Amino acid sequence: MDERKEPWMLGNGSYGLVPDATTDELLNDATEWLQYAKGLTELLSEMVGDSEILDRRRLMLAMGAVGVLTDMGMHCAMQAHARMQWDKV
């Protein structure tokens, strides 16, 4: 079975960019993205503390990934907030 993802879909269960996602789905995604960012940050912290010689290129890529994960979490949270405000009207 060939399941092709829509262009807006980032992964299974990711509703960060779906216009009709519910507030709960958006908040769940925000939590998931931010947990990934937290885990990667902790891993990087351990790596920097344990290693005398760092691969700067990989470190920069990983730090960029933390930024992207955090941005996605913030985007989902902002969409959820806007959805809640819209529902009040």
Side-chain angles (χ1 to χ4, degrees):
M1 178 181 220
D2 183 24
E3 285 189 50
R4 296 182 188 254
K5 294 184 181 195
E6 296 295 323
W8 48 260
M9 188 175 278
L10 298 173
N12 293 334
S14 179
Y15 302 96
L17 304 174
V18 178
D20 58 343
T22 67
T23 303
D24 286 336
E25 290 168 333
L26 290 166
L27 289 174
N28 287 340
D29 267 7
T31 302
E32 187 174 351
W33 286 115
L34 294 172
Q35 284 294 328
Y36 286 141
K38 179 180 182 264
L40 186 53
T41 301
E42 289 172 355
L43 179 67
L44 287 171
S45 177
E46 288 177 20
M47 185 180 86
V48 169
D50 291 343
S51 179
E52 291 181 16
I53 301 172
L54 296 175
D55 183 347
R56 289 171 48 116
R57 185 171 90 32
R58 285 187 183 171
L59 181 61
M60 288 174 22
L61 286 173
M63 291 184 75
V66 170
V68 170
L69 294 171
T70 304
D71 285 345
M72 285 304 302
M74 292 294 293
H75 180 74
C76 290
M78 288 187 306
Q79 260 191 332
H81 185 263
R83 181 86 27 95
M84 289 187 318
Q85 294 301 314
W86 183 257
D87 289 345
K88 286 181 181 180
V89 174

